mmCIF file of all heavy atoms in Angstrom:
data_model
loop_
_atom_site.group_PDB
_atom_site.id
_atom_site.type_symbol
_atom_site.label_atom_id
_atom_site.label_comp_id
_atom_site.label_asym_id
_atom_site.label_seq_id
_atom_site.Cartn_x
_atom_site.Cartn_y
_atom_site.Cartn_z
ATOM 1 N N ILE A 1 -4.323 -20.780 -39.139
ATOM 2 C CA ILE A 1 -5.079 -19.564 -38.862
ATOM 3 C C ILE A 1 -4.155 -18.505 -38.312
ATOM 4 O O ILE A 1 -3.527 -18.717 -37.276
ATOM 5 C CB ILE A 1 -6.238 -19.844 -37.901
ATOM 6 C CG1 ILE A 1 -7.179 -20.933 -38.457
ATOM 7 C CG2 ILE A 1 -7.027 -18.572 -37.574
ATOM 8 C CD1 ILE A 1 -8.198 -21.421 -37.448
ATOM 9 N N ASN A 2 -4.103 -17.358 -38.943
ATOM 10 C CA ASN A 2 -3.283 -16.270 -38.420
ATOM 11 C C ASN A 2 -4.035 -15.513 -37.345
ATOM 12 O O ASN A 2 -5.203 -15.091 -37.545
ATOM 13 C CB ASN A 2 -2.872 -15.300 -39.554
ATOM 14 C CG ASN A 2 -1.997 -14.194 -39.029
ATOM 15 O OD1 ASN A 2 -2.433 -13.041 -38.905
ATOM 16 N ND2 ASN A 2 -0.755 -14.491 -38.712
ATOM 17 N N LEU A 3 -3.415 -15.358 -36.148
ATOM 18 C CA LEU A 3 -4.071 -14.617 -35.067
ATOM 19 C C LEU A 3 -3.684 -13.167 -35.052
ATOM 20 O O LEU A 3 -4.500 -12.289 -34.710
ATOM 21 C CB LEU A 3 -3.700 -15.258 -33.747
ATOM 22 C CG LEU A 3 -4.129 -16.708 -33.541
ATOM 23 C CD1 LEU A 3 -3.715 -17.240 -32.155
ATOM 24 C CD2 LEU A 3 -5.644 -16.877 -33.745
ATOM 25 N N THR A 4 -2.413 -12.859 -35.340
ATOM 26 C CA THR A 4 -1.947 -11.464 -35.399
ATOM 27 C C THR A 4 -0.572 -11.409 -36.036
ATOM 28 O O THR A 4 0.240 -12.326 -35.910
ATOM 29 C CB THR A 4 -1.920 -10.827 -33.996
ATOM 30 O OG1 THR A 4 -1.494 -9.450 -34.114
ATOM 31 C CG2 THR A 4 -0.920 -11.533 -33.105
ATOM 32 N N THR A 5 -0.315 -10.263 -36.702
ATOM 33 C CA THR A 5 1.052 -9.967 -37.177
ATOM 34 C C THR A 5 1.726 -9.052 -36.189
ATOM 35 O O THR A 5 2.925 -8.760 -36.355
ATOM 36 C CB THR A 5 1.007 -9.316 -38.566
ATOM 37 O OG1 THR A 5 0.200 -8.131 -38.494
ATOM 38 C CG2 THR A 5 0.372 -10.260 -39.594
ATOM 39 N N ASN A 6 1.009 -8.556 -35.203
ATOM 40 C CA ASN A 6 1.523 -7.600 -34.231
ATOM 41 C C ASN A 6 2.236 -8.327 -33.077
ATOM 42 O O ASN A 6 1.740 -8.383 -31.947
ATOM 43 C CB ASN A 6 0.411 -6.722 -33.706
ATOM 44 C CG ASN A 6 0.885 -5.651 -32.747
ATOM 45 O OD1 ASN A 6 2.069 -5.285 -32.772
ATOM 46 N ND2 ASN A 6 -0.016 -5.141 -31.926
ATOM 47 N N ILE A 7 3.369 -8.957 -33.394
ATOM 48 C CA ILE A 7 4.109 -9.708 -32.374
ATOM 49 C C ILE A 7 5.597 -9.600 -32.701
ATOM 50 O O ILE A 7 6.009 -9.709 -33.840
ATOM 51 C CB ILE A 7 3.663 -11.173 -32.355
ATOM 52 C CG1 ILE A 7 4.505 -11.980 -31.349
ATOM 53 C CG2 ILE A 7 3.685 -11.815 -33.726
ATOM 54 C CD1 ILE A 7 4.007 -13.405 -31.160
ATOM 55 N N GLN A 8 6.369 -9.360 -31.629
ATOM 56 C CA GLN A 8 7.823 -9.294 -31.775
ATOM 57 C C GLN A 8 8.423 -10.236 -30.743
ATOM 58 O O GLN A 8 8.259 -10.045 -29.551
ATOM 59 C CB GLN A 8 8.363 -7.884 -31.549
ATOM 60 C CG GLN A 8 9.878 -7.784 -31.700
ATOM 61 C CD GLN A 8 10.374 -6.370 -31.418
ATOM 62 O OE1 GLN A 8 9.589 -5.481 -31.050
ATOM 63 N NE2 GLN A 8 11.675 -6.161 -31.552
ATOM 64 N N PRO A 9 9.126 -11.294 -31.169
ATOM 65 C CA PRO A 9 9.728 -12.230 -30.199
ATOM 66 C C PRO A 9 10.852 -11.574 -29.416
ATOM 67 O O PRO A 9 11.383 -10.535 -29.845
ATOM 68 C CB PRO A 9 10.251 -13.371 -31.089
ATOM 69 C CG PRO A 9 10.480 -12.739 -32.395
ATOM 70 C CD PRO A 9 9.425 -11.693 -32.555
ATOM 71 N N PRO A 10 11.195 -12.137 -28.267
ATOM 72 C CA PRO A 10 12.279 -11.543 -27.483
ATOM 73 C C PRO A 10 13.619 -11.754 -28.168
ATOM 74 O O PRO A 10 13.789 -12.643 -29.031
ATOM 75 C CB PRO A 10 12.251 -12.323 -26.156
ATOM 76 C CG PRO A 10 11.599 -13.616 -26.523
ATOM 77 C CD PRO A 10 10.619 -13.340 -27.634
ATOM 78 N N MET A 11 14.596 -10.939 -27.792
ATOM 79 C CA MET A 11 15.957 -11.126 -28.323
ATOM 80 C C MET A 11 16.505 -12.443 -27.781
ATOM 81 O O MET A 11 16.275 -12.805 -26.622
ATOM 82 C CB MET A 11 16.849 -9.990 -27.889
ATOM 83 C CG MET A 11 16.467 -8.641 -28.481
ATOM 84 S SD MET A 11 17.567 -7.323 -27.902
ATOM 85 C CE MET A 11 19.124 -7.890 -28.623
ATOM 86 N N ALA A 12 17.199 -13.224 -28.632
ATOM 87 C CA ALA A 12 17.767 -14.505 -28.232
ATOM 88 C C ALA A 12 16.754 -15.377 -27.546
ATOM 89 O O ALA A 12 16.937 -15.823 -26.420
ATOM 90 C CB ALA A 12 18.987 -14.248 -27.304
ATOM 91 N N ALA A 13 15.648 -15.611 -28.231
ATOM 92 C CA ALA A 13 14.513 -16.302 -27.602
ATOM 93 C C ALA A 13 14.823 -17.766 -27.268
ATOM 94 O O ALA A 13 15.270 -18.495 -28.122
ATOM 95 C CB ALA A 13 13.326 -16.228 -28.563
ATOM 96 N N PRO A 14 14.485 -18.178 -26.052
ATOM 97 C CA PRO A 14 14.564 -19.595 -25.697
ATOM 98 C C PRO A 14 13.304 -20.298 -26.172
ATOM 99 O O PRO A 14 12.482 -19.718 -26.897
ATOM 100 C CB PRO A 14 14.643 -19.574 -24.181
ATOM 101 C CG PRO A 14 13.860 -18.349 -23.824
ATOM 102 C CD PRO A 14 14.085 -17.355 -24.931
ATOM 103 N N SER A 15 13.134 -21.530 -25.750
ATOM 104 C CA SER A 15 11.964 -22.305 -26.194
ATOM 105 C C SER A 15 10.679 -21.922 -25.484
ATOM 106 O O SER A 15 9.573 -22.282 -25.985
ATOM 107 C CB SER A 15 12.227 -23.818 -25.964
ATOM 108 O OG SER A 15 13.359 -24.219 -26.696
ATOM 109 N N THR A 16 10.747 -21.198 -24.402
ATOM 110 C CA THR A 16 9.574 -21.013 -23.562
ATOM 111 C C THR A 16 9.119 -19.565 -23.507
ATOM 112 O O THR A 16 8.796 -19.066 -22.427
ATOM 113 C CB THR A 16 9.868 -21.514 -22.135
ATOM 114 O OG1 THR A 16 11.096 -20.942 -21.685
ATOM 115 C CG2 THR A 16 9.984 -23.033 -22.142
ATOM 116 N N TRP A 17 9.069 -18.891 -24.630
ATOM 117 C CA TRP A 17 8.631 -17.500 -24.608
ATOM 118 C C TRP A 17 7.162 -17.327 -24.945
ATOM 119 O O TRP A 17 6.651 -16.226 -24.992
ATOM 120 C CB TRP A 17 9.489 -16.642 -25.533
ATOM 121 C CG TRP A 17 9.482 -16.964 -26.991
ATOM 122 C CD1 TRP A 17 10.257 -17.881 -27.622
ATOM 123 C CD2 TRP A 17 8.703 -16.309 -27.999
ATOM 124 N NE1 TRP A 17 9.979 -17.909 -28.973
ATOM 125 C CE2 TRP A 17 9.037 -16.930 -29.233
ATOM 126 C CE3 TRP A 17 7.767 -15.306 -28.000
ATOM 127 C CZ2 TRP A 17 8.470 -16.543 -30.448
ATOM 128 C CZ3 TRP A 17 7.182 -14.905 -29.199
ATOM 129 C CH2 TRP A 17 7.534 -15.534 -30.404
ATOM 130 N N MET A 18 6.440 -18.451 -25.152
ATOM 131 C CA MET A 18 5.023 -18.431 -25.383
ATOM 132 C C MET A 18 4.337 -19.351 -24.431
ATOM 133 O O MET A 18 4.876 -20.377 -24.027
ATOM 134 C CB MET A 18 4.711 -18.848 -26.838
ATOM 135 C CG MET A 18 5.158 -17.887 -27.890
ATOM 136 S SD MET A 18 4.932 -18.575 -29.537
ATOM 137 C CE MET A 18 3.163 -18.939 -29.536
ATOM 138 N N ALA A 19 3.052 -19.062 -24.051
ATOM 139 C CA ALA A 19 2.231 -19.919 -23.190
ATOM 140 C C ALA A 19 0.792 -19.713 -23.573
ATOM 141 O O ALA A 19 0.409 -18.720 -24.191
ATOM 142 C CB ALA A 19 2.461 -19.557 -21.701
ATOM 143 N N VAL A 20 -0.045 -20.652 -23.176
ATOM 144 C CA VAL A 20 -1.462 -20.585 -23.530
ATOM 145 C C VAL A 20 -2.287 -21.112 -22.360
ATOM 146 O O VAL A 20 -1.876 -22.030 -21.635
ATOM 147 C CB VAL A 20 -1.746 -21.383 -24.836
ATOM 148 C CG1 VAL A 20 -1.491 -22.859 -24.644
ATOM 149 C CG2 VAL A 20 -3.173 -21.160 -25.329
ATOM 150 N N ASP A 21 -3.481 -20.555 -22.176
ATOM 151 C CA ASP A 21 -4.470 -21.136 -21.254
ATOM 152 C C ASP A 21 -5.781 -21.349 -22.029
ATOM 153 O O ASP A 21 -5.766 -21.394 -23.258
ATOM 154 C CB ASP A 21 -4.672 -20.234 -20.014
ATOM 155 C CG ASP A 21 -5.202 -18.842 -20.349
ATOM 156 O OD1 ASP A 21 -5.702 -18.607 -21.467
ATOM 157 O OD2 ASP A 21 -5.150 -17.959 -19.466
ATOM 158 N N SER A 22 -6.882 -21.514 -21.363
ATOM 159 C CA SER A 22 -8.120 -21.847 -22.062
ATOM 160 C C SER A 22 -8.680 -20.686 -22.866
ATOM 161 O O SER A 22 -9.578 -20.861 -23.700
ATOM 162 C CB SER A 22 -9.177 -22.291 -21.024
ATOM 163 O OG SER A 22 -9.439 -21.227 -20.105
ATOM 164 N N SER A 23 -8.136 -19.457 -22.675
ATOM 165 C CA SER A 23 -8.724 -18.303 -23.345
ATOM 166 C C SER A 23 -7.725 -17.525 -24.207
ATOM 167 O O SER A 23 -8.157 -16.947 -25.246
ATOM 168 C CB SER A 23 -9.300 -17.334 -22.319
ATOM 169 O OG SER A 23 -10.274 -17.942 -21.527
ATOM 170 N N ASN A 24 -6.467 -17.506 -23.841
ATOM 171 C CA ASN A 24 -5.505 -16.603 -24.476
ATOM 172 C C ASN A 24 -4.147 -17.249 -24.724
ATOM 173 O O ASN A 24 -3.776 -18.209 -24.036
ATOM 174 C CB ASN A 24 -5.304 -15.347 -23.601
ATOM 175 C CG ASN A 24 -6.596 -14.551 -23.404
ATOM 176 O OD1 ASN A 24 -7.094 -13.921 -24.303
ATOM 177 N ND2 ASN A 24 -7.114 -14.613 -22.178
ATOM 178 N N VAL A 25 -3.443 -16.659 -25.677
ATOM 179 C CA VAL A 25 -2.025 -16.946 -25.854
ATOM 180 C C VAL A 25 -1.228 -15.774 -25.331
ATOM 181 O O VAL A 25 -1.625 -14.590 -25.542
ATOM 182 C CB VAL A 25 -1.682 -17.097 -27.397
ATOM 183 C CG1 VAL A 25 -0.258 -17.564 -27.546
ATOM 184 C CG2 VAL A 25 -2.626 -18.073 -28.066
ATOM 185 N N TYR A 26 -0.169 -16.065 -24.586
ATOM 186 C CA TYR A 26 0.648 -15.036 -23.967
ATOM 187 C C TYR A 26 2.090 -15.179 -24.471
ATOM 188 O O TYR A 26 2.528 -16.272 -24.792
ATOM 189 C CB TYR A 26 0.676 -15.227 -22.423
ATOM 190 C CG TYR A 26 -0.714 -15.270 -21.824
ATOM 191 C CD1 TYR A 26 -1.444 -16.459 -21.780
ATOM 192 C CD2 TYR A 26 -1.271 -14.151 -21.227
ATOM 193 C CE1 TYR A 26 -2.703 -16.500 -21.224
ATOM 194 C CE2 TYR A 26 -2.544 -14.186 -20.651
ATOM 195 C CZ TYR A 26 -3.257 -15.375 -20.648
ATOM 196 O OH TYR A 26 -4.481 -15.434 -20.080
ATOM 197 N N TRP A 27 2.814 -14.041 -24.487
ATOM 198 C CA TRP A 27 4.207 -14.120 -24.877
ATOM 199 C C TRP A 27 4.985 -12.951 -24.275
ATOM 200 O O TRP A 27 4.426 -11.933 -23.934
ATOM 201 C CB TRP A 27 4.369 -14.147 -26.406
ATOM 202 C CG TRP A 27 3.919 -12.924 -27.122
ATOM 203 C CD1 TRP A 27 4.679 -11.815 -27.456
ATOM 204 C CD2 TRP A 27 2.601 -12.653 -27.620
ATOM 205 N NE1 TRP A 27 3.893 -10.904 -28.145
ATOM 206 C CE2 TRP A 27 2.623 -11.366 -28.262
ATOM 207 C CE3 TRP A 27 1.391 -13.363 -27.622
ATOM 208 C CZ2 TRP A 27 1.525 -10.807 -28.852
ATOM 209 C CZ3 TRP A 27 0.274 -12.813 -28.203
ATOM 210 C CH2 TRP A 27 0.327 -11.545 -28.843
ATOM 211 N N VAL A 28 6.291 -13.137 -24.153
ATOM 212 C CA VAL A 28 7.192 -12.061 -23.858
ATOM 213 C C VAL A 28 7.908 -11.682 -25.152
ATOM 214 O O VAL A 28 8.100 -12.551 -26.018
ATOM 215 C CB VAL A 28 8.260 -12.433 -22.776
ATOM 216 C CG1 VAL A 28 7.581 -12.566 -21.440
ATOM 217 C CG2 VAL A 28 9.024 -13.682 -23.144
ATOM 218 N N GLY A 29 8.278 -10.428 -25.288
ATOM 219 C CA GLY A 29 8.901 -10.047 -26.548
ATOM 220 C C GLY A 29 9.492 -8.647 -26.465
ATOM 221 O O GLY A 29 9.493 -8.018 -25.374
ATOM 222 N N GLY A 30 9.997 -8.189 -27.581
ATOM 223 C CA GLY A 30 10.545 -6.847 -27.658
ATOM 224 C C GLY A 30 12.049 -6.829 -27.491
ATOM 225 O O GLY A 30 12.688 -7.815 -27.132
#
């Protein structure tokens, strides 16, 4: 299921640039 195409990962992304809780997915990027 696609949630959004409006996402840009961080430069030189490590393994932990995304997180989730019971309601939302969070990320750092740009």
Side-chain angles (χ1 to χ4, degrees):
I1 301 170
N2 180 255
L3 299 181
T4 183
T5 58
N6 184 21
I7 177 174
Q8 181 182 2
M11 295 180 64
S15 299
T16 51
W17 62 276
M18 292 173 57
V20 65
D21 62 15
S22 61
S23 302
N24 299 289
V25 187
Y26 306 83
W27 64 91
V28 291

